[in-house]
Amino acid sequence: MTDIQRKAMELANSEGTYKKALFRAIEQHEAFRQEVSDVVEQALSFGDVESLRRKGVLSRFIIPKPKPDPLA
């Protein structure tokens, strides 16, 4: 089970019904989309890619790649 699937199951179990969990997931997704949209709009006002890197504006949206299991 992936991390996303585990989180979805936790949400479904905590809300009691899948319908409530689905509504909550949609609300969270829409809020996240709005947050990303606002930050991208702000980032575009900086004008160049180097400015974005220095200011770290988009770094909170970068999901680090999982490290390979050394035992696998």
Side-chain angles (χ1 to χ4, degrees), residues 5-29:
Q5 290 170 328
R6 183 185 54 75
K7 288 177 183 177
M9 288 301 294
E10 287 173 5
L11 178 62
N13 292 334
S14 70
E15 295 291 337
T17 69
Y18 284 107
K19 191 173 184 179
K20 287 180 184 177
L22 178 61
F23 290 153
R24 181 72 180 130
I26 290 170
E27 287 174 346
Q28 290 175 343
H29 178 69

Side-chain angles (χ1 to χ4, degrees), residues 43 46-57:
F46 290 136
D48 64 53
V49 175
E50 195 54 41
S51 294
L52 294 176
R53 286 193 179 119
R54 279 194 310 271
K55 292 180 182 359
V57 174

Side-chain angles (χ1 to χ4, degrees), residues 30-50:
E30 290 301 315
F32 178 74
R33 286 182 60 207
Q34 184 62 54
E35 181 183 5
V36 171
S37 176
D38 293 346
V39 170
V40 168
E41 189 173 16
Q42 176 191 10
L44 291 174
S45 71
F46 290 136
D48 64 53
V49 175
E50 195 54 41

